[in-house]
Amino acid sequence: MFLFSSCQIGAEKALKSELARLFPAFRSSFSRPGFMTVKTPDEAGDPLDLAWQWSEKSVFARSAALSLGMFEAKTQEEVVETAWKLVSDHRFYINRIHAYRRDPFLPGEKNFEPGQTPELIELHRKLLAAAPNRKFLGFASEDVSHPALLGETVLDVVEIDPGRYFAGIHRIQEGSSIQAYYPGGVMPIVLPDGAVSRAWLKFEEGLRWGGFPIGQHSQCLDIGAAPGGGSQALLARGATVLGVDPAEMDPTVANHRNFTHIRGRMNQTRRAQYKDVRWVIADMNVAPGYTLDVLEDLISRRGVKIRGMLFTLKMFQWELARHLPGNADRVRRWGFDEVRIKQLAFNRREVMVAAQKTTK
């Protein structure tokens, strides 16, 4: 059996190292930048369950599926015909279609952002129209941006190079993170015209992925806030935000009635300023250890009661990825019983950490 997964371009080495630790019996096979396949032992178990485990346990696998095979096609009509033929050969019943492509660039590079394109939307439409009735249990929505539903079996059609595709299958299981519900693990998020930086994208994605219940009157702290993209994502939810950064904030954020700029570094601030803060986001262009030191200092201050944190850890060298399990354990020791780490679609060379206290 073969499984495949997409990831960020450049993260393949970290993904392979992680795979060796999590699933030592898997063997790397075909790969391209931002995409890889693995061979699993015949006795490894249900392949759909294995694909689910890979996507859920991995930091760097954006999405994962059982591979039905690689094929070449010159037109979308050929893609549609071949993909449904592969499904028929393997006797799967399909409830959802995800058509996506391997990322051509890093997020933010050459104005590229992950997600659907008009060509992929058209391919989705054609795949849906050609779905054989005998293999078709019914789609909850024909809208490509509509999330899959729990229990659905998804047909993945992935363009890895011009004219070259993979078809695969994954199933939405109990406990699946939100990425599995969308094509290629990319939520339909578009940078709004008024956003002051790409930080809006990654924190908007992170807040949805982490399931943070931030809303009206939530008291939030943004560390490394300038120019203010992350703060904007919080303010749009009605939160009150303290932004700490020695640099200037964009006027759009600085002049917002629910935003207060504390100009300086965290070690220059007073404990009393955070007594009402319950949620923290942080995005500092420093080594992971320094970010964790800053957050631990905040958490350990008397009178500070943080319910959840969402922050990035920069992967300046991919070798830093081997420390991520230890980083997660360190955060748990601060009293956060739910800690997850993922390189999200709109992250660059960094990972996102979501930590929440779910028990009192």
Side-chain angles (χ1 to χ4, degrees):
M1 297 182 295
F2 288 85
L3 310 179
F4 65 68
S5 176
S6 60
C7 66
Q8 186 182 108
I9 285 181
E12 302 85 12
K13 181 178 178 181
L15 178 57
K16 289 180 180 179
S17 296
E18 178 186 65
L19 188 73
R21 177 176 57 84
L22 294 174
F23 303 100
F26 289 9
R27 293 292 177 263
S28 297
S29 183
F30 175 88
S31 68
R32 296 284 286 121
F35 184 89
M36 68 177 292
T37 70
V38 298
K39 188 177 189 303
T40 70
D42 292 339
E43 67 278 6
D46 182 346
L48 293 184
D49 187 55
L50 290 174
W52 176 79
Q53 289 184 47
W54 188 14
S55 62
E56 293 304 306
K57 292 180 179 180
S58 172
V59 171
F60 297 99
R62 187 182 297 171
S63 61
L66 165 67
S67 176
L68 302 182
M70 180 174 67
F71 62 94
E72 295 186 356
K74 294 180 179 179
T75 67
Q76 287 194 345
E77 286 72 21
E78 290 182 14
V79 175
V80 171
E81 181 181 0
T82 306
W84 282 118
K85 175 64 167 56
L86 288 169
V87 171
S88 177
D89 289 346
H90 289 80
R91 301 179 182 276
F92 281 106
Y93 290 83
I94 303 300
N95 312 110
R96 184 75 53 173
I97 296 167
H98 284 174
Y100 58 99
R101 62 174 175 167
R102 176 177 66 87
D103 288 357
F105 307 106
L106 285 171
E109 183 180 37
K110 298 184 179 181
N111 295 319
F112 167 74
E113 297 294 354
Q116 293 291 291
T117 65
E119 293 78 14
L120 289 170
I121 293 172
E122 178 64 11
L123 177 58
H124 174 272
R125 184 191 68 78
K126 291 178 179 177
L127 284 162
L128 184 64
N133 289 334
R134 64 190 178 84
K135 298 288 185 184
F136 182 70
L137 294 183
F139 290 75
S141 171
E142 297 184 5
D143 183 358
V144 67
S145 65
H146 192 283
L149 304 177
L150 183 64
E152 288 189 329
T153 300
V154 182
L155 168 63
D156 295 277
V157 178
V158 191
E159 182 183 15
I160 58 168
D161 286 311
R164 181 181 288 183
Y165 298 82
F166 266 84
I169 300 289
H170 77 272
R171 183 170 293 146
I172 308 299
Q173 301 192 34
E174 190 73 43
S176 294
S177 60
I178 192 170
Q179 298 106 306
Y181 291 73
Y182 293 99
V186 182
M187 286 179 265
I189 302 173
V190 178
L191 190 70
D193 292 338
V196 302
S197 71
R198 283 195 76 259
W200 182 92
L201 276 173
K202 61 186 176 184
F203 278 105
E204 179 64 25
E205 183 182 23
L207 289 166
R208 298 186 193 186
W209 163 70
F212 281 65
I214 293 175
Q216 292 288 330
H217 311 303
S218 294
Q219 301 292 317
C220 301
L221 171 65
D222 184 358
I223 304 172
S231 291
Q232 276 187 308
L234 296 171
L235 292 167
R237 288 166 165 74
T240 299
V241 182
L242 295 175
V244 179
D245 202 300
E248 290 187 8
M249 302 296 298
D250 185 278
T252 304
V253 177
N255 296 329
H256 195 286
R257 65 182 182 277
N258 288 339
F259 181 82
T260 301
H261 185 194
I262 302 175
R263 192 159 186 176
R265 302 186 185 280
M266 282 296 295
N267 60 7
Q268 299 170 330
T269 60
R270 293 176 290 106
R271 179 183 64 205
Q273 293 172 292
Y274 310 116
K275 62 181 180 64
D276 296 324
V277 168
R278 297 295 178 264
W279 306 97
V280 177
I281 68 171
D283 186 30
M284 294 178 281
N285 194 33
V286 295
Y290 185 89
T291 295
L292 293 169
D293 288 345
V294 170
L295 293 171
E296 184 168 17
D297 177 71
L298 171 67
I299 293 296
S300 63
R301 295 186 187 190
R302 182 180 302 175
V304 174
K305 300 178 181 179
I306 305 299
R307 286 183 55 193
M309 301 185 299
L310 183 70
F311 59 93
T312 59
L313 294 177
K314 308 299 180 182
M315 298 286 101
F316 297 125
Q317 298 87 34
W318 289 116
E319 289 74 16
L320 292 170
R322 64 188 178 90
H323 298 296
L324 291 175
N327 296 154
D329 289 340
R330 180 177 177 182
V331 175
R332 290 187 186 95
R333 289 196 293 270
W334 302 342
F336 295 93
D337 52 307
E338 182 180 290
V339 180
R340 293 190 289 157
I341 305 179
K342 195 78 173 179
Q343 185 175 45
L344 300 178
F346 295 101
N347 285 141
R348 286 177 63 85
R349 193 158 174 159
E350 62 196 357
V351 298
M352 188 71 78
V353 182
Q356 293 193 60
K357 294 180 179 179
T358 59
T359 57
K360 295 183 179 179

